[in-house]
Structure formats: C-alpha cells, structure tokens
C-alpha cells in the first residue's frame, strides 16, 4: 500500500506470453493533459516475456524466438518517464526491412536504458540523446543489387537470402558512439561486366569507431578477389571526424566532417538517383540506364583536384521557363583550380535534343544536333547545390513549325500561320533553375504571320538579349532586341515586297504563357505601306495617299504591348522629309480598331477604325487625331505626353 500513498501504481513483476508489439508513426501528436505535481505514477520494475512473436517498428520487423525484459516509470499528465535497464534477445530470428532487406539466422541483443525525459523535452527522436544502447548482431544477409543494369535479355537476380553475413557490436551512449564499436559485412552483390552482362561479385565492408572518428570501408569486389576490375567495382574509404551521432546535424555540418575517397565503375539500371546532387531545385534531371566511372577525393567536405566523374551515356532533362530540353548526353565532372580557388565543373554534351512544352511534350519547339550544358559550383560539397550556376548553349537548331510558339502569342491578334526556321541560344541559369541572362537568335524563311485580319509572309530574323527583371516570375528586361523582316508581302495587296527593322528599348518581357511584352520601339522601314494597309486597302484612300506609301524609307517610333489576347501599337509616329504618319492600333481577339492620321504636304486625312467600319475625317484631321485618347498608360517613369507630331 505504500506506493498508493505517493500516487503510484507499482508492478514489481509482470509476465506476458504470446506478445506482438507494433510501433507506428502517428499522424497527430497526442499531447498529454496539463501537468500536475500530484499526477499519478505508473512503475513496472520488470515486464518480461519469453514468447515475443513479433516486434515491428515502422517498416522494420523482427520475428522468431525472442525474449524481452522492460522496466520503466512514468508520471501521467506529461510527467517524467525513465526506462530502467532493459533488453531484447533473439536467437535464430528473422529481421526484415520492408520488401528490400531480409536477414535470417539472427542472433540479436539490444540492451538499453535512459535518463529521465518528458513528452516535450527532448522533443521527438532527440530523446535518444538521454539513452544508452548496446547492440550486438550476427546474421546472414541476402545478395543485394546496387542498381546494377544487366544487358538486355540478361537476368540480374540477387540469389538466396543466406549469401552474406553481417556482424555488429556497437554502443551509443547519450548520442555518442563508443570507441571500439564495429560492424562488418560480407556478401554477394549483383553487378555487370563491361558489356553489361549480369554477374555476381563478393563485396565486403566495415565500420569501426576509433578514438576521434568513425572509419568506413566498402570494397566490391572484395579486396581479395582475383580480378577486381573484371566487372563493376567500387572502393570506398571514408572517415567521419566525430563520434557524436546525436543530435542529428544538418547535411552541411555532416559533409564538413567527411574525408576520404571513392573510386569505381558501375552500371546502373537508372541514373535518377543523381538528380538531387546537381541543383537545389529539380530543374536538371538525369535518368536512363548508364554507367558511372568516378574517382573522388574529399577532405573535410571539399572535393580535391584530381577528382573526376564520367558518365558516358545518360538521359538528360532540363526544365526551363516552362519548357523541357531532353536528349541523350554524356557528362564529365572535374575539379579545377584558378585565382579564386578550386571549382567543381560538370560538362554535359547532348548529342541530339528536343525542346518542347512541359504540358505537351509531343509538340516540339525545336530539334538540335548538339547542345552544351556546363555546371560550375563550389568544391565545398555542403555548398554545391546552393552555388551551382549553369550555362546552356546550342547553335542552329531546327524550328520545325513556328505554330508551336503560338502558345506565347496573344491569341487571334498575333500568331504564326506557318513557317519553320533555325534558332541559337546562350543562357545563364542560376541555382533555382531560373534563367538569369542570355541571348536568343532565330531566323526563318517564308514565315506566315497573322496580325488581326491581315496576313503577312516574309523572312524573319530575331536577336535578343535577356536580363532578369527585379520582380517575381519569369520576367526579363530586354536588351539589344532587334527584329528584322524582309521580302514581306501582305495578302491582297499589290505593293512591292517590304522590309523593316525593329529595335525595342526599355522593354519588359514576361515569359509565362501567354507571353506579355511592353516596350518602346524604334523602327526603320521601307515605307508605311503595311501600316496603312492595317487600316484599309489603298483604294479606300484618296489618290494622293500613294505619295506617302511610295515616298521612301521612314523612321518610326511606337509603344508596343502584347499579351492577354491583345496586340497594341500606341503613339506610333512615322516620318521622313515630306510625310507625317501617326497611328494607334489595338487588335483584340483578332479584331482591329484604332485611329490614323496621314499628311503629305498640305493634304491630310484621319481615319477611325472600329467594328470593321472606317470613318474618314477630312477637315481638321490633325486636331481630330490629337483629341483621341491614348490606348495605353505611359511606361513607368515616363510622363504622359500630348498626341501628334
């Protein structure tokens, strides 16, 4: 009765039979009731069983003849918990981890105890920092497949569940591995020879806890193999400069404690596991079957000169600006030294590639025969993903159908009807997978373009440089953008072929579909015939208008905006020594409207276009035009100005 006076229920000894224990992660943290000093205690000095049939912790399961003894004390309402000296012993048991690993004939002994802790302190897994655990293990292990890729028609089976052997004797004392602890493994590995023919090789590995560090070794085939280079092979020697395992360090802190070397050649059924190594966000992906040949030298988390990584063949995918570059590639990695110190470099050469929308990969934008993607980053492995910068370039790739780019254009107001061309691109890419700067060039022959109800055919050449704009999304400042067209014919017009060169200034481009463009443009053009034809056929104007059309080269300025189903040319002013031509044009959902003013000498006319109806203004045409409102607000930082010349 004495414990009851102290609000304690104590069990001196409990015997249990036919026990099954399952521990799973709960979806919700079941918080205890608020703590009270007089909350009851439950104490079990000794709970024991000689028939623990199954012990499951998440995906790890132990079955077979097992005995267990547990002692603890716990105060209700979130009070203190302490685990007394306890143990679990299994002889000839079976240890299984999910569907991936199975160890048989297991002799397993886990002895553990803990200092007092509460529900919240330490939180979660950090409670192990209050515990002491001593594990001994002896058992057979299955043959394993480390992603080896057999040749077509070959079987890559891993053999029986008793091909290998694992032994361990490790103590973790309050988060620190105790000196002298060790684990040793020897077993069969599914491998492949130089021709990809499946075979099985012996491997061996060990982990030893020393005075100041933890040493690890892995060798496949085993170091005593007759011909260790006859097939896939791997040799790893690493040291971890700390015995403290808990609390768990960040990946950056962990890498800084790592030194050693990795060397080998391995055929993998899939290279997808390399994806997270290349960039912080998964814009760059490696996949497909392939082999990796590597020799890495690491000193406290830094790659040393002489390190290399060669992948002769891989499937590369790069997602940029909502589009996907994909193709067969090869990669070579190295560490180079320069005035700024050591740098990690990965050069990827793509032999054939396709660019297509992520949403519709079967409709390619372009196809190319060669693309180069180079990745540069720190030699510090902890900073590799955060400092990675990429450079992508290709030349003269085929644009099979210009209509594929209509995703970016403003619907029925401006789109490609037909045509093909060639494109060259040079892009700088940051660690987030966003284009930070670049240059794009495209040339086409016989492109057919719809501008509202009008159809133009001609040769088009584009050259633009991009720089990141200071706002979110795929927004860019356009620099040195030029668009030239020559040999242009407008359907239904009898005018000679026409040409123009357009340069955008203070331009802003938002690449997201549909594309949005806002810029000031300066243009040189053969004459104003095409601009006039957007409002009416030449026959609808008085005869003297032909002098404007035929009067020669014109200098033009205009505000241009495209996007959201509209194409707008506002405050357009064209002139030479003898003519003046002013216009504003909005094409919305394929239908044009706007105003135009034309003057030749003393003769002038104004035209208002709306709903396919034209209204001519003969008297006071200049005053009429200047009284019409602007179509667009002024650009940021630009004051509104009156219309007209």
């Amino acid at each position: 009765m004495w414990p009851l006076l102290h609000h304690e229920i104590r069990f001196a000894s409990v015997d249990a039979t036919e026990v099954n224990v399952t521990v799973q992660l709960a979806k919700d943290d079941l918080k205890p009731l608020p703590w009270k000093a007089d909350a009851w205690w439950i104490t079990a000095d000794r709970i024991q069983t000689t028939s623990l049939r199954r012990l499951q912790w998440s995906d790890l399961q132990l079955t077979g003849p097992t005995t267990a003894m547990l002692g603890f004390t716990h105060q209700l309402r979130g009070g203190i918990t302490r685990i007394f000296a306890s143990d679990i012993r299994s002889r000839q048991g079976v240890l299984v981890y999910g569907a991936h690993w199975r160890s048989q004939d297991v002799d397993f002994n886990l002895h553990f105890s803990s200092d007092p802790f509460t529900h919240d302190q330490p939180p979660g897994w950090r409670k192990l920092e209050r515990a002491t655990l001593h594990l001994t293990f002896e058992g057979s292990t299955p043959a394993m497949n480390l992603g080896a890729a057999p040749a077509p028609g070959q079987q890559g089976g891993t053999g029986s569940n008793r091909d290998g052997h694992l032994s361990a004797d490790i103590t973790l004392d309050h988060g620190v591995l105790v000196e002298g602890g060790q684990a040793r493994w020897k077993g069969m590995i599914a491998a492949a020879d130089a021709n990809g023919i499946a075979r099985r090789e012996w491997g061996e590995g060990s982990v030893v806890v020393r005075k100041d560090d933890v040493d690890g070794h892995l060798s496949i085939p085993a170091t005593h193999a007759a011909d260790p280079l006859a097939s896939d092979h791997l040799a790893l020697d690493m040291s971890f400069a700390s015995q403290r395992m808990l609390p768990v360090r960040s990946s950056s802190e962990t890498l800084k404690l790592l030194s050693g070397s990795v060397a080998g050649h391995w055929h993998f059924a899939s290279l997808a596991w390399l994806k997270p190594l290349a960039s912080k966000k998964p814009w760059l992906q490696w996949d497909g079957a392939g082999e990796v040949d590597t020799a890495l030298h690491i000193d406290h988390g830094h790659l040393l000169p002489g390190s290399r990584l060669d992948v002769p063949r891989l499937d590369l995918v790069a997602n940029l600006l909502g589009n996907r570059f994909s193709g067969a590639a090869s990669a070579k990695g190295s560490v180079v030294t320069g005035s700024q110190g050591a740098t990690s470099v990965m050069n990827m050469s793509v032999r054939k590639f396709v660019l297509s929308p992520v949403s519709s990969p079967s409709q390619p934008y372009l196809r190319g025969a060669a693309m180069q993607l180079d990745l540069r980053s720190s030699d510090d492995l902890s900073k590799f993903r955060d400092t990675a910068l990429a450079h992508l370039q290709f030349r003269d790739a085929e644009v099979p159908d210009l209509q594929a780019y209509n995703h970016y254009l403003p619907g029925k107001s401006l789109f490609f009807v037909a045509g093909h061309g060639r494109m060259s691109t040079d892009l700088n890419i940051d660690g987030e997978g966003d284009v930070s700067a670049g240059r794009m060039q495209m040339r086409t022959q016989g492109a057919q373009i719809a501008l509202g109800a009008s159809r133009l055919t001609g040769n088009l050449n584009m050259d633009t440089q991009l720089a990141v704009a200071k706002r979110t999304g795929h927004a860019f400042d356009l620099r040195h953008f030029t668009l030239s067209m020559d040999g242009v014919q407008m359907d239904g017009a009898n005018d000679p072929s026409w040409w123009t060169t357009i340069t955008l200034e203070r331009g802003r481009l938002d690449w997201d579909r549909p594309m949005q463009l806002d810029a000031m443009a300066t243009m040189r053009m053969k004459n104003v015939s095409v601009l006039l034809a957007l409002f009416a056929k030449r026959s609808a104007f008085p005869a003297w208008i032909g002098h404007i059309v035929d009067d020669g080269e014109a200098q033009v300025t205009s505000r241009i905006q495209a996007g959201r189903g509209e194409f707008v040319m506002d405050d357009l002013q064209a002139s030479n020594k003898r003519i003046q031509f002013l216009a504003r044009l909005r094409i919305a959902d394929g239908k044009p409207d706007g105003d135009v003013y034309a003057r030749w000498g003393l003769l002038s006319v104004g035209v208002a276009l709306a709903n396919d109806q034209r209204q001519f203004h003969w008297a006071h045409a200049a005053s009429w035009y200047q009284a019409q409102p602007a179509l667009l607000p002024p650009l940021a930082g630009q004051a509104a100005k009156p219309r007209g010349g």
Side-chain angles (χ1 to χ4, degrees):
M1 297 297 293
W2 180 251
L4 294 179
L5 299 177
H6 294 83
H7 287 199
E8 180 182 19
I9 300 177
R10 178 181 290 271
F11 300 91
S13 179
V14 177
D15 292 310
T17 58
E18 304 296 329
V19 177
N20 291 278
V21 178
T22 300
V23 180
Q24 296 286 355
L25 183 65
K27 293 182 179 180
D28 301 308
D29 186 6
L30 302 178
K31 296 287 187 180
L33 294 172
W35 181 75
K36 287 185 177 181
D38 61 350
W40 280 75
W41 291 77
I42 297 178
T43 300
D45 293 318
R46 183 183 182 90
I47 302 175
Q48 59 186 6
T49 179
T50 58
S51 56
L52 178 58
R53 301 306 183 198
R54 179 174 58 86
L55 174 61
Q56 182 172 353
W57 190 292
S58 190
D59 290 334
L60 186 66
Q61 179 174 278
L62 176 67
T63 57
T66 303
T67 64
M69 189 276 292
L70 171 69
F72 72 90
T73 183
H74 169 66
Q75 186 182 29
L76 302 179
R77 303 183 72 101
I80 291 173
T81 300
R82 181 185 175 191
I83 299 175
F84 307 142
S86 306
D87 61 50
I88 301 172
R89 300 174 183 269
S90 179
R91 297 293 179 265
Q92 303 299 306
V94 177
L95 190 64
V96 177
Y97 182 74
H100 309 290
W101 190 79
R102 181 183 181 91
S103 181
Q104 300 188 159
D105 306 321
V106 169
D107 286 349
F108 175 96
N109 184 10
L110 177 64
H111 184 84
F112 57 98
S113 62
S114 80
D115 296 340
F117 60 85
T118 65
H119 177 87
D120 296 320
Q121 294 297 328
W125 285 102
R126 294 196 61 177
K127 291 178 174 59
L128 288 175
E129 297 170 35
R130 301 282 180 90
T132 298
L133 300 95
H134 179 208
L135 169 69
T136 60
F137 182 99
E138 292 277 349
S140 62
T141 60
M144 292 184 287
N145 186 331
L146 297 183
Q154 293 290 318
Q155 298 297 318
T158 56
S160 76
N161 289 316
R162 291 183 170 86
D163 284 333
H165 184 265
L166 174 66
S167 64
D169 187 338
I170 293 177
T171 300
L172 184 70
D173 186 4
H174 292 76
V176 177
L177 289 174
V178 175
E179 181 183 358
Q182 60 180 340
R184 300 188 183 277
W185 165 83
K186 182 179 179 181
M188 195 67 73
I189 297 289
D193 63 18
N195 297 315
I197 304 302
R199 57 188 294 167
R200 299 166 75 230
E201 295 287 351
W202 280 101
E204 60 185 10
S206 64
V207 174
V208 178
V209 182
R210 301 190 186 277
K211 182 178 180 181
D212 299 315
D213 59 16
V214 180
D215 284 354
H217 164 79
L218 176 66
S219 179
I220 307 170
T223 52
H224 52 76
D227 186 3
L229 302 182
S231 66
D232 282 351
H233 57 277
L234 177 66
L236 179 150
D237 286 286
M238 286 287 172
S239 66
F240 187 74
S242 176
Q243 295 170 296
R244 176 164 289 282
M245 300 293 108
L246 298 172
V248 176
R249 299 175 176 86
S250 67
S251 59
S252 174
E253 293 173 323
T254 300
L255 287 169
K256 290 181 183 299
L257 296 171
L258 202 61
S259 299
S261 64
V262 182
H265 181 101
W266 204 265
H267 294 255
F268 288 95
S270 172
L271 296 172
W273 60 275
L274 288 168
K275 281 189 285 190
L277 305 181
S279 57
K280 189 162 45 176
K281 289 190 176 179
W283 69 271
L284 179 61
Q285 303 174 28
W286 293 3
D287 209 341
E291 57 190 65
V292 175
D293 191 271
T294 187
L296 303 180
H297 307 285
I298 303 169
D299 182 20
H300 289 87
H302 287 260
L303 284 172
L304 300 179
S307 297
R308 62 174 180 81
L309 174 71
D310 297 331
V311 186
R313 200 273 181 202
L314 59 93
D315 294 335
L316 181 146
V317 174
N319 293 314
L320 298 172
L321 300 172
N323 299 313
R324 174 173 295 168
F325 288 93
S326 58
S330 61
K332 287 184 175 294
S334 61
V335 176
V336 299
T337 55
S339 59
Q340 302 299 319
T343 303
S344 300
V345 177
M346 180 68 71
N347 303 120
M348 290 160 275
S349 299
V350 187
R351 293 178 285 277
K352 290 185 178 181
F353 69 94
V354 173
L355 174 65
S356 57
V358 171
S359 58
S360 51
S362 62
Q363 190 177 20
Y365 288 142
L366 57 85
R367 299 187 182 95
M371 181 175 75
Q372 188 69 29
L373 179 58
D374 298 324
L375 196 68
R376 299 183 69 89
S377 188
S378 171
D379 66 319
D380 186 342
L381 291 173
S382 67
K383 299 178 180 178
F384 188 90
R385 296 197 305 164
D386 294 329
T387 59
L389 299 175
H391 181 210
L392 181 149
Q393 56 183 332
F394 59 84
R395 294 185 60 81
D396 212 31
E398 176 194 6
V399 179
D401 186 356
L402 291 172
Q403 292 183 85
Y405 291 87
N406 287 339
H407 292 290
Y408 291 101
L409 300 180
K412 298 178 182 178
S413 300
L414 175 63
F415 61 92
F416 288 109
V417 178
H420 56 86
R422 316 292 294 186
M423 180 178 285
S424 299
T425 295
D426 190 320
L427 300 176
N428 293 326
I429 305 161
D430 63 22
E432 302 286 336
D434 292 326
V435 174
S436 57
R439 184 178 185 182
M440 301 174 64
Q441 298 169 292
M442 184 171 70
R443 65 182 190 278
T444 71
Q445 296 289 323
Q448 298 181 40
I449 303 171
L451 188 58
S454 303
R455 298 292 184 270
L456 291 81
T457 303
N459 305 321
L460 181 149
N461 293 287
M462 181 196 73
D463 187 352
T464 183
Q465 293 187 21
L466 305 172
V468 171
K470 293 181 179 179
R471 70 178 197 180
T472 58
H474 297 145
F476 297 93
D477 290 324
L478 296 179
R479 297 180 179 177
H480 310 295
F481 178 96
T482 59
L483 177 67
S484 61
M485 300 178 66
D486 62 73
V488 177
Q489 297 283 346
M490 178 175 281
D491 290 0
N494 297 320
D495 297 324
S497 63
W498 180 79
W499 60 265
T500 184
T501 299
I502 303 171
T503 301
L504 295 187
E505 302 172 353
R506 289 176 292 164
R508 179 66 61 90
L509 172 68
D510 193 330
W511 198 276
D512 293 323
R513 296 189 296 178
M515 176 188 70
Q516 297 179 46
L517 171 68
D518 195 350
M520 292 298 300
T522 59
M523 296 171 259
R524 290 177 55 242
M525 56 183 61
K526 179 180 180 181
N527 52 48
V528 296
S529 60
V530 171
L531 297 177
L532 194 68
L534 294 174
F535 287 87
K537 294 181 178 179
R538 188 187 298 197
S539 59
F541 290 92
W544 59 263
I545 208 74
H547 293 286
I548 289 181
V549 173
D550 301 329
D551 203 40
E553 182 177 324
Q555 303 293 323
V556 183
T557 61
S558 178
R559 168 86 174 281
I560 293 178
Q561 191 176 90
R564 299 186 179 93
E566 291 188 346
F567 177 76
V568 179
M569 299 177 70
D570 195 17
D571 194 23
L572 186 147
Q573 302 185 32
S575 62
N576 59 22
K577 294 180 180 179
R578 291 178 294 179
I579 69 169
Q580 184 181 30
F581 185 91
L582 309 176
R584 60 177 168 274
L585 175 70
R586 184 198 309 272
I587 303 175
D589 199 24
K591 297 179 180 180
D593 66 75
D595 307 306
V596 65
Y597 167 78
R599 180 182 62 79
W600 178 65
L602 298 176
L603 302 173
S604 63
V605 64
V607 182
L609 172 63
N611 299 319
D612 291 330
Q613 301 296 317
R614 294 160 183 81
Q615 182 178 1
F616 287 82
H617 295 266
W618 305 101
H620 308 294
S623 299
W624 166 82
Y625 182 82
Q626 292 175 4
Q628 305 310 306
L631 296 177
L632 298 172
L635 283 168
Q638 179 186 27
K641 61 180 181 178
R643 289 212 150 272

